[in-house]
């Protein structure tokens, strides 16, 4: 990672070409604590705008499958744009309730990322308008939501899998207390010690603040005991389409790929993808469409 002082980095050519992804330093740190060995499947439950999905995939092998989800439709559009701009192809982007996704993906993921919706106390320095809706009642309600999301994350997680939990708040109800309650319910989940000198009251977790010259961030990594459960998931059926295949061969110069048709659009991936039925935004990278018997590539 690099610091920058560009006034509008989102307008630079490097940004448009997908060479960089700007992110606040505290938010970018969480993925650095993940053990990257033996990860083949990742689920990011509240992924928009995509920073943590991007950070994780940048650390992993190219044959890792990512399911990147967000329940908010407008935010998932931004998520899709960011992942596509960076050229991440082995990605399924979904717009589902987390509970519904957990029903489909029980015991699926080697890594689950849960950057949970929170009260945002750690962002007040940057966005003071957060104070307009700030209340203890809001913290209590959000802590209930986070507890539900953690239960869904637990269902999705494989044995020996890692669960990365983070928020951008200081509230104990959403951070340390939340994790203590979760661990008390699941004796097969264990904290991985990732920090010992920051201001978190839960040993092994990290809590950053403006005192660290960052925005606020709580980071916790847990691992699940091996449960000897092996689940299988139905793969999405790839297709052959000469117009699209010819375009890929001539312009992308690869011959080992999987072509999919979804909502009348054509997508490609370098690995097989699983079938997640409804509320899927895209499977892999959007290549283009067939219009009037001609292939029209996706325009940036």
């Amino acid at each position: 990672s690099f610091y920058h002082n560009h006034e509008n980095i989102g307008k630079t050519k490097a940004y448009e070409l997908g060479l960089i992804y700007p992110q606040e330093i505290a938010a970018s740190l969480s993925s650095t604590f993940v053990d990257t060995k033996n990860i083949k499947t990742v689920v990011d439950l509240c992924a928009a705008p995509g920073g943590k999905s991007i950070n994780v995939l940048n650390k992993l092998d190219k044959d890792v499958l990512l399911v990147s989800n967000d329940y908010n439709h407008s935010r998932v559009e931004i998520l899709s744009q960011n992942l596509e701009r960076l050229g991440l192809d082995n990605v399924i982007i979904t717009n589902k309730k987390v509970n519904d996704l957990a029903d489909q993906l029980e015991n699926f993921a080697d890594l689950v990322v849960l950057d949970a919706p929170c009260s945002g106390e750690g962002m007040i320095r940057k966005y003071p308008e957060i104070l307009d809706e700030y209340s203890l009642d809001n913290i209590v309600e959000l802590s209930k939501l986070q507890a539900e999301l953690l239960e869904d994350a637990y269902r999705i997680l494989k044995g020996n899998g890692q669960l990365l939990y983070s928020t951008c708040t200081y509230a104990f109800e959403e951070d340390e207390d939340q994790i203590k309650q979760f661990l008390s319910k699941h004796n097969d989940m264990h904290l991985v010690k990732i920090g010992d000198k920051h201001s978190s009251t839960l040993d092994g977790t990290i809590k950053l603040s403006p005192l660290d010259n960052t925005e606020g961030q709580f980071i916790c990594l847990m691992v699940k005991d091996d449960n000897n459960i092996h689940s299988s998931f139905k793969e999405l059926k790839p297709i052959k389409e000469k117009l699209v295949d010819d375009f890929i061969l001539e312009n992308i110069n690869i011959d080992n790929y999987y072509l999919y048709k979804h909502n009348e659009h054509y997508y490609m991936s370098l690995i097989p993808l699983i079938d997640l039925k409804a509320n899927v935004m895209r499977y892999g990278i959007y290549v283009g469409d067939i219009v009037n018997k001609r292939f029209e590539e996706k325009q940036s």
Side-chain angles (χ1 to χ4, degrees):
S1 298
F2 303 89
Y3 286 96
H4 74 89
N5 57 5
H6 200 286
E7 288 187 4
N8 196 344
I9 201 165
K11 297 294 184 181
T12 62
K13 184 60 68 174
Y15 178 90
E16 293 174 3
L17 292 174
L19 301 177
I20 57 174
Y21 181 84
Q23 192 174 27
E24 207 282 319
I25 186 66
S28 72
L29 282 176
S30 59
S31 65
T32 64
F33 302 109
V34 171
D35 183 352
T36 59
K37 297 190 296 290
N38 302 317
I39 292 180
K40 293 299 181 183
T41 49
V42 180
V43 177
D44 191 347
L45 294 177
C46 305
K52 288 183 171 59
S53 284
I54 291 165
N55 290 340
V56 166
L57 282 193
N58 280 338
K59 292 168 59 68
L60 299 175
D61 294 334
K62 298 298 183 183
D63 61 347
V64 170
L65 170 60
L66 168 70
V67 178
S68 196
N69 178 74
D70 204 280
Y71 179 57
N72 184 298
H73 189 270
S74 60
R75 285 172 57 82
V76 86
E77 292 278 6
I78 297 171
L79 169 67
S80 181
Q81 292 167 11
N82 281 330
L83 296 184
E84 185 172 274
R85 180 173 56 81
L86 272 72
L88 300 174
D89 55 279
N90 302 336
V91 178
I92 303 173
I93 297 179
T94 57
N95 180 207
K96 296 175 181 279
K97 292 181 180 178
V98 173
N99 183 263
D100 292 340
L101 190 62
D103 288 343
Q104 290 184 290
L105 293 179
E106 285 203 42
N107 202 56
F108 169 79
D110 299 307
L111 171 65
V112 176
V113 179
L114 175 53
D115 186 36
C118 68
S119 57
E121 291 176 329
M123 302 296 289
I124 289 173
R125 182 178 70 162
K126 187 174 182 179
Y127 301 112
E129 61 270 20
I130 290 173
L131 288 170
D132 295 339
E133 298 183 6
Y134 182 81
S135 72
L136 292 178
D137 287 342
N138 191 39
I139 288 174
V140 171
E141 288 305 309
L142 283 164
S143 69
K144 294 176 182 177
L145 172 62
Q146 292 151 3
E148 293 173 1
L149 294 173
L150 276 167
E151 292 301 316
D152 291 327
Y154 175 82
R155 287 200 287 148
I156 293 172
L157 194 64
K158 278 183 182 177
N160 289 324
Q162 300 170 77
L163 171 53
L164 182 64
Y165 177 83
S166 61
T167 73
C168 56
T169 185
Y170 309 125
F172 294 111
E173 296 91 337
E174 303 177 69
D175 295 344
E176 294 95 333
D177 293 349
Q178 185 71 257
I179 297 304
K180 289 176 184 176
Q181 292 170 16
F182 175 73
L183 292 173
S184 71
K185 295 178 183 177
H186 302 286
N187 57 14
D188 58 343
M189 295 293 300
H190 310 281
L191 273 178
V192 177
K193 190 170 184 178
I194 58 175
D196 56 11
K197 62 181 180 180
H198 293 286
S199 56
S200 174
T201 60
L202 180 58
D203 186 42
T205 63
I206 287 177
K207 182 170 279 187
L208 300 171
S209 75
L211 294 176
D212 303 294
N213 198 29
T214 71
E215 306 304 328
Q217 190 84 186
F218 174 77
I219 307 170
C220 171
L221 183 65
M222 294 168 280
V223 66
K224 192 176 192 178
D225 288 344
D226 190 1
N227 54 20
N228 292 314
I229 299 174
H230 302 283
S231 301
S232 60
F233 299 87
K234 183 180 178 181
E235 289 186 358
L236 190 68
K237 186 176 180 179
I239 65 166
K240 293 289 186 182
E241 176 54 65
K242 187 175 187 308
L243 289 174
V244 187
D245 290 328
D246 288 348
F247 170 82
I248 292 173
L249 184 62
E250 293 170 9
N251 294 275
I252 308 179
N253 196 29
I254 59 172
D255 51 16
N256 293 315
Y257 61 90
Y258 297 83
L259 183 66
Y260 300 106
K261 187 177 183 181
H262 177 64
N263 291 339
E264 300 304 315
H265 304 304
Y266 292 90
Y267 299 83
M268 64 169 286
S269 172
L270 299 182
I271 62 173
L273 302 181
I274 59 173
D275 189 353
L276 289 179
K277 307 299 181 183
N279 298 317
V280 175
M281 294 290 293
R282 69 175 177 89
Y283 287 102
I285 280 187
Y286 180 21
V287 184
D289 307 308
I290 292 179
V291 180
N292 295 327
K293 297 183 180 180
R294 294 177 58 253
F295 178 72
E296 296 185 0
E297 65 183 277
K298 191 265 181 183
Q299 298 299 312
S300 301

